[in-house]
Amino acid sequence: MKQAPQFFILTPTQCAEIMARNRIGRIAFKNGPSVDIEPTGYVARDSWLFLRSAYGAKLEALAHNPYVAFEVDEVKGPLDWASVVAHGTVYMLPADGAPIEQQEYQRAMEALREVLPESLTTRDPVPERMMVYGLHIDRVTGRMARSTAAKRRSSGASASEAAAAPAGSVGTARKRKSVARRGR
């Protein structure tokens, strides 16, 4: 008998682990009357994501509306995946800005250089990406799917997977109660 995949809601700690071990995500932002989404490299540190870009339409849009969503996925198959969405505010981090901006710029550069030591040096492979910015994470959510095949391949659930709440359990029940109370 074929068993359906299981879906889980990730804890904030699991979301942070997924964001920390990946380097490419997608930033969604308001650009005039529409919403754009673009892939970008990043480094996660505490409640921040540090990024760099060339100056252009994305940074122009972020200057007018700095509230964004940022998504990171780990996909092993159509029914074996994890997805994290962080919501927060983008802050430009100029090297010559106010003292707090300079401090965060230095933190960002330390993080970025752990991944690409040549960042913003004469050996930088992408020297046009001169603008450094940080996304301060205000809220993070995540979901995970595991198929029967994936469960058989592993000898047991990892500590992170064991901590994940099945989707449709506690969080969904709370949501249903909340919606019912509001009469929707």
Side-chain angles (χ1 to χ4, degrees), residues 55-56 63 69 89 155:
Y55 190 81
T89 306
S155 59

Side-chain angles (χ1 to χ4, degrees), residues 16 18-19 62 88 93 99 115 131 140 154 176:
I18 289 169
M19 295 192 88
L62 291 173
L93 302 174
V115 174
M131 306 301 291
V140 66
S154 66
R176 276 192 220 117

Side-chain angles (χ1 to χ4, degrees), residues 9 29 50 54 59 67 75 103 118 123 132 140 151 176:
I9 297 169
F29 56 96
F50 294 117
L59 294 181
Y67 308 107
V75 180
Q103 181 182 340
E118 301 85 7
R123 297 182 325 273
V132 177
V140 66
K151 286 184 261 179
R176 276 192 220 117

Side-chain angles (χ1 to χ4, degrees), residues 20-38:
R21 70 176 166 251
N22 288 281
R23 297 288 179 254
I24 303 295
R26 287 168 299 287
I27 188 167
F29 56 96
K30 187 157 175 28
N31 189 3
S34 63
V35 174
D36 284 343
I37 187 164
E38 293 187 9

Side-chain angles (χ1 to χ4, degrees), residues 45-89:
R45 288 292 178 274
D46 303 317
S47 59
W48 286 87
L49 301 180
F50 294 117
L51 312 96
R52 51 188 286 233
S53 295
Y55 190 81
K58 174 173 54 183
L59 294 181
E60 286 278 337
L62 291 173
H64 295 288
N65 193 347
Y67 308 107
V68 302
F70 193 89
E71 182 180 32
V72 176
D73 293 322
E74 291 182 340
V75 180
K76 295 176 183 164
L79 299 174
D80 294 295
W81 51 264
S83 182
V84 174
V85 176
H87 295 204
T89 306

Side-chain angles (χ1 to χ4, degrees), residues 1 4 17 21 25 31 33 38 40 42 50 65 77 79 90 98 105 117 132 135 138 158-159 163 177-178:
M1 182 161 111
E17 290 169 355
R21 70 176 166 251
N31 189 3
E38 293 187 9
T40 187
Y42 74 96
F50 294 117
N65 193 347
L79 299 174
V90 167
Y105 175 84
V132 177
L135 175 110
D138 299 319
S158 69
K177 286 179 187 173
S178 175

